[in-house]
Amino acid sequence: MPIAMDLEEAWVIFALNQTLLQQESLRAGSFQIPYTTEDLIKHYNCGDLSSIIFNHDTSQVPNFINATLPAHERITAQEIDRYFRQELIYKRNERMGRRVKDLLEEYPDKSFFFAFGAGM
């Protein structure tokens, strides 16, 4: 098996283990999400999501980095974090940008409305 395949498999196993540990901590009550659904609804209705949302990492990228990890696992978590950000955020933004550009060029006489989120 090539080294790259071993690395990818190791990342998958690490990510699954960290996800399970987070879920177990949530269930046990030793880990809490920084805001609740009710918080989101309240702040949305008040027109102020920034105070609750943008004070936290809202990129939808799983966060496996924490201070309790041994050094070698922290490095793995940072590598996975960089990979997810590249694949799930930056490449997605590039694809969306190309689609917007293509629509504007293909239909120059049409009006469009595009909405973009900006919270990281």
Side-chain angles (χ1 to χ4, degrees), residues 96 100 112-118:
M96 288 172 55
V100 167
F112 291 92
F113 173 81
F114 301 102
F116 301 93

Side-chain angles (χ1 to χ4, degrees), residues 42-59:
K42 176 183 155 201
H43 287 278
Y44 175 81
N45 286 335
C46 293
D48 179 31
L49 283 175
S50 61
S51 64
I52 190 167
I53 297 296
F54 298 129
N55 291 330
H56 304 285
D57 182 6
T58 60
S59 62

Side-chain angles (χ1 to χ4, degrees), residues 104 107-114:
L104 293 172
Y107 304 101
D109 297 330
K110 282 195 162 203
S111 295
F112 291 92
F113 173 81
F114 301 102

Side-chain angles (χ1 to χ4, degrees), residues 12-112:
V12 169
I13 291 169
F14 177 84
L16 288 172
N17 282 334
Q18 291 303 309
T19 302
L20 287 172
L21 288 171
Q22 266 185 4
Q23 292 301 314
E24 289 169 353
S25 295
L26 274 171
R27 182 173 278 181
S30 59
F31 174 76
Q32 291 187 336
I33 298 173
Y35 49 84
T36 66
T37 303
E38 289 79 22
D39 292 331
L40 291 174
I41 293 168
K42 176 183 155 201
H43 287 278
Y44 175 81
N45 286 335
C46 293
D48 179 31
L49 283 175
S50 61
S51 64
I52 190 167
I53 297 296
F54 298 129
N55 291 330
H56 304 285
D57 182 6
T58 60
S59 62
Q60 302 301 315
V61 174
N63 184 12
F64 301 124
I65 304 169
N66 67 61
T68 63
L69 292 174
H72 70 283
E73 288 186 0
R74 205 172 9 249
I75 290 168
T76 300
Q78 290 167 340
E79 290 170 349
I80 292 172
D81 183 69
R82 276 192 295 276
Y83 173 81
F84 276 143
R85 287 183 189 285
Q86 182 64 34
E87 294 298 318
L88 299 179
I89 296 174
Y90 303 127
K91 286 186 179 181
R92 177 211 54 202
N93 290 351
E94 289 172 6
R95 282 191 308 273
M96 288 172 55
R98 280 192 300 274
R99 289 178 187 158
V100 167
K101 180 181 165 283
D102 291 347
L103 279 170
L104 293 172
E105 288 175 351
E106 187 174 345
Y107 304 101
D109 297 330
K110 282 195 162 203
S111 295
F112 291 92

